[in-house]
Amino acid sequence: MSIDRTPSFVGMIFLAVLVVGGGTVSRAQTPGPAHPLDQLTAAELQAATEALTAAGHVDDDARFHLINLHEPVKADVVNWEPGAPFQRQAFAVVKKGNETFEAIVDVSRREVISWQKVEGVQPNLTEEEIVGGGELAKTHPDWQSAMRQRGITDFSSVLCAAVSPGYYGIAEETGRRVGKAFCYDLTKGANFWARPIEGLTTLVDLNTMEVIRVIDTGPVPVPTAPADYDEQDVGSLREIPTSIVVDQPNGPSFRVNGNEVSWQNWRFHFRVDPRVGLIVSRVSYVDKGQERSILYQGSLAELFVPYMDPDVGWYFRTYMDAGEFLVGINTVSLEPAFDCPENARYFNAVLADAHGQPQSKERAVCIFERYAGDAAWRHFDFMTGKTETRRKRDLVLRLIATLGNYDYTFDWTFEQNGTIRVGVGASGTEQVKAVASRAANEPGGNDDARYGRFVSEHTVAINHDHFFSFRMDLDVDGTAN
């Protein structure tokens, strides 16, 4: 497995999601794995950490940037029969000082299989680095002087986060684990994303925890226009509709056995991976009584979000959200009846924090049936004057991850006609830039909106893209196809 370069910004809030709304999990709280592709349990995560510690590879100063399932060989999974034993291994990425290591641990025997130093790579940022780098910037006299020039003297009212600088071959960044810290004013409303302190970026070394350089291009007024979510009456939007809920007086028609799901003719397995979020595996379809393989495994591979402003405080915002920040780690608890309909069933996830300790994520995934709003089949018989029609029903598997200002919804939809649809959606709030002009039709407005558009007074949403890349290992009627 390759390790991505230094990560980009998501912010300190979403990197703490394993603690907020969750909590530490004891071994007794989670059952053992029932399938070779089940996510690591709390006991297995703990076993991996303890094995690496006992072997002398990990100490209190080491940080776990990733612990996930080291999957068995595909052929072993395909040939596995329910009830038969299977191997369980964990894959870990560990950072010690400025060195990065990859490890494989047999969690059943608590034995380290391999421990290897990897040269020339950077693992994803941790909450500790993002928050710590931002706080470090605030201690530098040049940063403090720049803030006073902007009329800000209470530094406790400023939120800063150290983010990825991307890779541009810049000499002072080469060979270092660096972050660039930018900041927000917390005094002008709850939605701090709308209050950027523009024109000030601090380059920090996250290994040595020192400020390399403060880059100040001059003060820009912090936007003050209304931007909070609750400033208008949205009560009616919070009402729960009932017309779209599938009527299920006898309960859902899908069946769940651990993380294996069967619905109508579909069969599949799923798990939450700390890096890519939902992984759907062993998908098959029962055709005239015969179970036919469709997809061995599918998941997100990467989510690339580049912003398009060449300004010194923006050009480096080229986020690799999956590889740099871990989609699964930033999964949020789903809100019943709003994120998923009332008939949804929820599943928890257990993921490891930077100290290798298992943390629970309540309602990380939901699964539900829904009416698609279309006819699955219909026909009007002109001879009899009668219409025969059937409502179309889908099964949806859903996960939502909050990566900084964006909330991403990932849906795997299984349809009655044998179609699998992978859907992605983005919500949340824009990442905006504070500008000197009030609007596009005022002096300087056209220049300020050259790489975006005005969304409020003194506020431009910068043009950017979201590239979702998925990995699909299709096995239609077997691996030979």
Side-chain angles (χ1 to χ4, degrees):
M1 173 183 175
S2 62
I3 307 175
D4 297 289
R5 295 191 60 87
T6 308
S8 60
F9 174 49
V10 268
M12 73 177 185
I13 290 179
F14 77 89
L15 282 170
V17 297
L18 289 180
V19 177
V20 178
T24 303
V25 183
S26 68
R27 298 181 192 180
Q29 286 179 288
T30 53
H35 190 282
L37 297 179
D38 281 353
Q39 66 186 65
L40 295 174
T41 66
E44 290 174 326
L45 290 169
Q46 194 74 52
T49 302
E50 292 175 357
L52 289 168
T53 303
H57 297 308
V58 171
D59 55 25
D60 291 341
D61 294 328
R63 293 295 181 266
F64 289 86
H65 290 251
L66 179 70
I67 308 180
N68 66 358
L69 176 69
H70 186 244
E71 292 191 7
V73 175
K74 178 179 176 179
D76 292 344
V77 177
V78 172
N79 295 323
W80 174 76
E81 296 290 340
F86 49 85
Q87 189 180 49
R88 294 289 283 176
Q89 294 182 346
F91 173 81
V93 176
V94 180
K95 186 170 178 291
K96 297 174 64 177
N98 60 356
E99 296 179 330
T100 301
F101 299 85
E102 291 182 346
I104 298 176
V105 180
D106 186 315
V107 295
S108 301
R109 295 184 294 174
R110 294 172 174 261
E111 177 184 343
V112 178
I113 304 300
S114 67
W115 173 263
Q116 182 179 3
K117 181 180 176 180
V118 187
E119 301 284 358
V121 299
Q122 296 282 359
N124 53 288
L125 285 175
T126 63
E127 174 193 359
E128 183 178 42
E129 292 175 307
I130 290 178
V131 176
E135 289 299 307
L136 175 66
K138 294 164 66 173
T139 67
H140 197 276
D142 291 348
W143 183 93
Q144 294 179 358
S145 175
M147 282 294 169
R148 291 189 182 98
Q149 292 178 15
R150 289 162 169 78
I152 300 173
T153 57
D154 179 8
F155 303 147
S156 66
S157 67
V158 176
L159 168 65
C160 299
V163 306
S164 168
Y167 180 74
Y168 297 91
I170 299 173
E172 66 179 346
E173 300 176 6
T174 303
R176 308 172 95 162
R177 184 172 175 83
V178 296
K180 286 187 175 178
F182 50 84
C183 308
Y184 296 89
D185 188 341
L186 300 178
T187 66
K188 297 178 173 63
N191 180 17
F192 68 86
W193 294 105
R195 316 300 181 197
I197 301 173
E198 209 65 55
L200 184 62
T201 308
T202 305
L203 183 66
V204 298
D205 188 314
L206 296 172
N207 276 336
T208 63
M209 291 306 288
E210 62 178 335
V211 173
I212 301 172
R213 185 160 60 102
V214 176
I215 306 162
D216 183 6
T217 58
V220 178
V222 175
T224 59
D228 286 350
Y229 315 125
D230 59 355
E231 290 182 352
Q232 296 182 357
D233 180 15
V234 294
S236 61
L237 299 179
R238 296 283 294 178
E239 295 175 359
I240 302 174
T242 58
S243 58
I244 63 171
V245 175
V246 177
D247 184 21
Q248 297 173 315
N250 298 318
S253 62
F254 59 84
R255 297 186 301 278
V256 178
N257 180 20
N259 282 67
E260 293 181 277
V261 179
S262 58
W263 175 75
Q264 307 224 355
N265 292 323
W266 288 105
R267 310 287 185 268
F268 63 89
H269 178 277
F270 75 92
R271 77 174 187 267
V272 178
D273 179 87
R275 184 184 185 275
V276 299
L278 275 176
I279 294 181
V280 177
S281 306
R282 304 294 285 131
V283 180
S284 63
Y285 190 87
V286 179
D287 182 14
K288 298 178 181 178
Q290 179 185 359
E291 189 168 346
R292 303 174 60 181
S293 64
I294 303 293
L295 174 75
Y296 176 73
Q297 193 169 90
S299 71
L300 179 74
E302 189 52 87
L303 169 51
F304 177 44
V305 188
Y307 284 75
M308 301 174 186
D309 190 331
D311 180 81
V312 67
W314 280 84
Y315 76 91
F316 59 87
R317 304 190 196 199
T318 51
Y319 308 143
M320 295 282 193
D321 280 344
E324 296 176 336
F325 302 114
L326 310 184
V327 169
I329 287 291
N330 294 292
T331 297
V332 297
S333 294
L334 297 166
E335 188 175 355
F338 291 98
D339 291 328
C340 307
E342 288 185 299
N343 62 319
R345 177 170 176 177
Y346 296 88
F347 300 84
N348 300 336
V350 179
L351 303 165
D353 64 14
H355 297 277
Q357 298 304 305
Q359 304 288 329
S360 66
K361 173 56 55 180
E362 304 300 318
R363 302 187 308 279
V365 177
C366 73
I367 186 168
F368 58 91
E369 294 172 276
R370 70 180 177 195
Y371 290 131
D374 301 319
W377 174 88
R378 77 174 321 278
H379 179 63
F380 172 74
D381 190 323
F382 70 91
M383 295 294 293
T384 64
K386 293 182 178 180
T387 298
E388 286 288 338
T389 185
R390 307 289 185 270
R391 286 198 290 183
K392 185 172 181 289
R393 184 183 292 194
D394 297 336
L395 183 73
V396 181
L397 184 71
R398 175 172 293 168
L399 175 145
I400 297 178
T402 298
L403 294 156
N405 53 301
Y406 274 109
D407 293 55
Y408 294 103
T409 299
F410 298 90
D411 281 357
W412 285 76
T413 301
F414 297 85
E415 300 185 5
Q416 293 167 309
N417 63 0
T419 299
I420 304 172
R421 296 188 185 276
V422 181
V424 295
S427 186
T429 183
E430 296 279 358
Q431 192 167 134
V432 297
K433 179 180 183 179
V435 297
S437 57
R438 189 182 68 86
N441 60 356
E442 294 197 352
N446 285 334
D447 288 339
D448 284 339
R450 185 176 181 181
Y451 302 105
R453 63 175 58 200
F454 277 89
V455 293
S456 187
E457 294 181 356
H458 301 286
T459 307
V460 171
I462 299 301
N463 295 334
H464 62 283
D465 284 324
H466 300 252
F467 294 95
F468 293 83
S469 177
F470 280 79
R471 174 185 178 272
M472 300 287 183
D473 182 1
L474 289 161
D475 281 349
V476 180
D477 285 336
T479 57
N481 189 337

